[in-house]
Amino acid sequence: QVQLEESGGGLVQPGGSLRLSCAASGIIFSINAMAWYRQAPGKEREWVATVTSGGDTNYADSVKGRFTISRENTVNAAFLQMNSLKPEDTAVYYCNAILKVNSNSVYRLYWGRGAQVTVSS
């Protein structure tokens, strides 16, 4: 019933910028937090950034100062502004949400299908 859809991926040059979007759709009662993860070729999936329902943000050390996560609670969307991109940022980026579909349900994890980000000259 619930779907997360990423958009905004693509190919950029080192030092460039890219903005990812994540839209949650379906029957949603509330979202506790939304986050971005990424998985580079040959590597494990790693956490990138999180924004809570209260607006608190946290970042992995590798992206601090370069990436900014934001959220539009009214439309159940999250964004990841990526600046000063490096080749090592190349990965499939996944949107994650911790949400429940009604007031009596538990919070569950939902994932998007991923968006490819390639940083190369």
Side-chain angles (χ1 to χ4, degrees):
Q1 302 296 321
V2 177
Q3 293 183 337
L4 302 181
E5 296 182 3
E6 301 96 339
S7 62
L11 173 65
V12 297
Q13 296 182 355
S17 298
L18 204 62
R19 186 172 188 260
L20 300 179
S21 299
C22 175
S25 62
I27 302 174
I28 300 173
F29 178 75
S30 65
I31 300 179
N32 184 64
M34 299 186 74
W36 289 94
Y37 290 74
R38 67 185 182 186
Q39 186 169 20
K43 294 187 176 182
E44 299 289 335
R45 183 183 64 186
E46 65 174 347
W47 167 75
V48 175
T50 298
V51 57
T52 70
S53 60
D56 296 325
T57 59
N58 288 282
Y59 300 90
D61 289 339
S62 59
V63 305
K64 285 183 179 178
R66 300 188 299 119
F67 289 11
T68 302
I69 188 171
S70 60
R71 179 177 174 181
E72 289 287 346
N73 293 337
T74 57
V75 294
N76 295 324
F79 308 91
L80 187 68
Q81 178 66 47
M82 302 181 291
N83 299 325
S84 302
L85 284 164
K86 305 174 181 179
E88 50 263 44
D89 294 319
T90 296
V92 177
Y93 285 71
Y94 297 92
C95 177
N96 167 265
I98 302 174
L99 60 84
K100 56 182 180 180
V101 298
N102 62 65
S103 62
N104 295 319
S105 66
V106 299
Y107 281 101
R108 297 178 61 185
L109 297 175
Y110 293 85
W111 293 90
R113 296 185 181 275
Q116 178 68 51
V117 173
T118 302
V119 184
S120 176
S121 59

